[in-house]
């Protein structure tokens, strides 16, 4: 790929849009980030993205624009279907509108978790893998699946919603309306909620750690308390790791990956998370699957969505 093959990646979030232009070597030449708070229609959001793409491009001819969009996305048609904080965000024909506004430059749209999975696969912790599952543990759980070197889309390109696989039908109510989805056990929000439930009995350092930092209690404070030997925090983390391992064992049995990449804020817990998670997952998978996969932390930072979106063209 020559260096003058320029692609723009755009990461559309509920409150921010980031865009960057990459050359053929994958180097960022120019980037920008703006708020979406002022937009009141879907058309205005698209216009903001088109203006950003034009600004970061600086007149260079583009080979394509890759867009990571939140919520359900029909990737084949390039339509955002629903599910975000953005205004009027139902059945937005992103590909059609943007290609018209950009004078025919090809636009590809994927769900943000799929973009991140693809970014890790081509440029991050997935390099060298052939069958990779990406799981991001943050406020919820996002995921993307690469099988035989291809991003798994499914019939409507909704594949990989692993966070809403049901682990326990009588579990906690999930944002999706079901009970006991994986993300109600293993996300950062789930860690916080479980800690708050147990803290009603008192006797933990979690509250003090959060108060010292001047912050609301979050999963980070629970991990920190656990690292200091706090028994309640350790129980919360143990429970989360157990359910994360159950979810990952389901992933292993379903997709037979050679690598599982864990991203999101919770993955920053590092050694408080990974050794035990590997051990527990190995315990839950059937014998033939043991030692056939690795569980590794994500390799890219917050740019993962941008990189993944741009890389839809650069591979
Ligand atoms: Zn759910």
């Amino acid at each position: 790929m020559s260096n003058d093959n320029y692609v723009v990646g755009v990461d559309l979030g509920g409150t921010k849009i980031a865009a960057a232009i990459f050359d053929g070597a994958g180097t960022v030449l120019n980037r920008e980030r703006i708020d979406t708070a002022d937009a009141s229609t879907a058309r205005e959001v698209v216009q903001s993205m088109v203006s950003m793409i034009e600004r970061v491009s600086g007149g260079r001819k583009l080979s394509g624009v890759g867009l990571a969009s939140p919520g359900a996305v029909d990737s084949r048609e390039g339509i955002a279907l629903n599910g975000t904080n953005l205004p009027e965000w139902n059945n937005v024909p992103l590909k059609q509108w943007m290609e018209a506004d950009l004078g025919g430059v090809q636009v590809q749209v994927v769900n943000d978790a799929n973009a991140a999975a693809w970014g890790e696969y081509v440029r991050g912790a997935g390099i060298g893998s052939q069958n990779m599952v990406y799981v991001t543990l943050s406020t919820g759980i996002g995921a993307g699946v690469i099988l035989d070197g291809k991003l798994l889309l499914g019939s409507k390109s909704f594949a990989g919603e692993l966070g809403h696989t049901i682990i326990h039908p009588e579990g906690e109510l999930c944002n999706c309306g079901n009970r006991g989805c994986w993300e109600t056990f293993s996300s950062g929000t789930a860690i916080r909620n479980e800690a708050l439930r147990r803290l009603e009995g008192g006797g933990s350092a979690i509250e003090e750690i959060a108060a010292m930092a001047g912050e609301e209690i979050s999963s980070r404070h629970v991990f920190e308390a656990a690292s200091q030997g706090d028994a309640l925090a350790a129980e919360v983390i143990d429970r989360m790791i157990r359910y994360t391992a159950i979810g990952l064992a389901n992933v292993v049995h379903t997709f037979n990956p050679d690598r599982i990449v864990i991203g999101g804020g919770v993955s920053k817990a590092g050694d408080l998370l990974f050794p035990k998670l590997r051990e527990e997952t190995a315990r839950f998978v059937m014998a033939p699957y043991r030692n056939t996969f690795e569980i590794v932390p994500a390799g890219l930072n917050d740019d993962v969505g941008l990189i993944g979106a741009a890389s839809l063209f650069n591979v």
Side-chain angles (χ1 to χ4, degrees):
M1 193 70 72
S2 71
N3 270 6
D4 58 359
N5 179 54
Y6 301 112
V7 177
V8 170
V10 182
D11 189 1
L12 172 62
T15 57
K16 299 249 190 284
I17 308 171
I21 181 165
F22 296 78
D23 67 13
T27 308
V28 172
L29 304 177
N30 194 8
R31 62 191 305 150
E32 200 178 294
R33 191 178 157 95
I34 62 163
D35 286 336
T36 53
D38 294 341
S40 59
T41 66
R43 201 74 186 88
E44 282 176 21
V45 173
V46 169
Q47 276 160 356
S48 297
M49 288 195 286
V50 167
S51 303
M52 281 177 93
I53 292 162
E54 286 169 343
R55 284 194 300 271
V56 297
S57 301
R60 294 179 189 91
K61 189 174 179 318
L62 298 178
S63 306
V65 170
L67 170 60
S69 175
V73 173
D74 182 334
S75 291
R76 293 187 185 84
E77 302 294 329
I79 299 171
L81 297 167
N82 65 12
T84 78
N85 302 321
L86 292 161
E88 298 180 350
W89 212 248
N90 293 302
N91 300 309
V92 185
L94 290 171
K95 180 181 168 70
Q96 189 194 332
W97 284 358
M98 290 174 74
E99 285 183 349
D101 290 354
L102 291 165
V105 174
Q106 199 195 341
V107 176
Q108 284 202 36
V109 188
V110 287
N111 159 269
D112 51 6
N114 279 344
W118 189 248
E120 285 293 337
Y121 176 68
V122 293
R123 299 275 303 280
I127 291 175
S129 155
Q130 268 299 299
N131 297 282
M132 187 204 93
V133 178
Y134 172 75
V135 178
T136 173
L137 307 174
S138 54
T139 48
I141 292 184
V145 179
I146 282 87
L147 284 184
D148 299 322
K150 290 205 177 98
L151 182 64
L152 183 72
L153 291 177
S155 67
K156 292 286 175 196
S157 58
F158 304 157
E161 274 297 346
L162 303 178
H164 298 286
T165 52
I166 295 168
I167 300 281
H168 194 309
E170 279 97 47
E172 201 181 316
L173 190 63
C174 181
N175 288 332
C176 73
N178 278 328
R179 285 191 175 274
C181 294
W182 191 20
E183 73 173 38
T184 68
F185 289 98
S186 292
S187 62
T189 310
I191 296 171
R192 187 200 61 195
N193 289 349
E194 184 64 17
L196 291 176
R197 263 193 295 273
R198 292 179 187 228
L199 277 171
E200 283 172 13
S204 167
I206 297 171
E207 285 164 307
E208 199 181 320
I209 289 169
M212 294 262 284
E215 294 165 347
E216 301 262 316
I217 290 172
S218 75
S219 61
R220 200 162 42 79
H221 306 124
V222 183
F223 275 109
E224 198 176 325
S227 76
Q228 294 173 11
D230 184 86
L232 186 149
E235 281 172 26
V236 172
I237 299 302
D238 280 353
R239 176 181 184 270
M240 175 270 179
I241 289 176
R242 179 159 172 263
Y243 280 108
T244 307
I246 290 170
L248 290 184
N250 293 342
V251 164
V252 168
H253 292 147
T254 308
F255 299 111
N256 188 202
D258 52 73
R259 202 171 301 168
I260 296 171
V261 175
I262 310 283
V266 175
S267 72
K268 306 253 173 17
D271 284 349
L272 292 173
L273 174 68
F274 283 91
K276 193 150 191 194
L277 181 59
R278 291 181 184 118
E279 193 184 306
E280 291 265 301
T281 307
R283 207 160 63 77
F284 285 116
V285 298
M286 293 190 291
Y289 292 87
R290 266 170 224 142
N291 305 315
T292 63
F293 61 92
E294 320 169 73
I295 300 173
V296 300
L300 301 176
N301 57 18
D302 294 345
D303 280 348
V304 63
L306 274 182
I307 292 170
S311 301
L312 293 170
F313 288 94
N314 248 353
V315 290

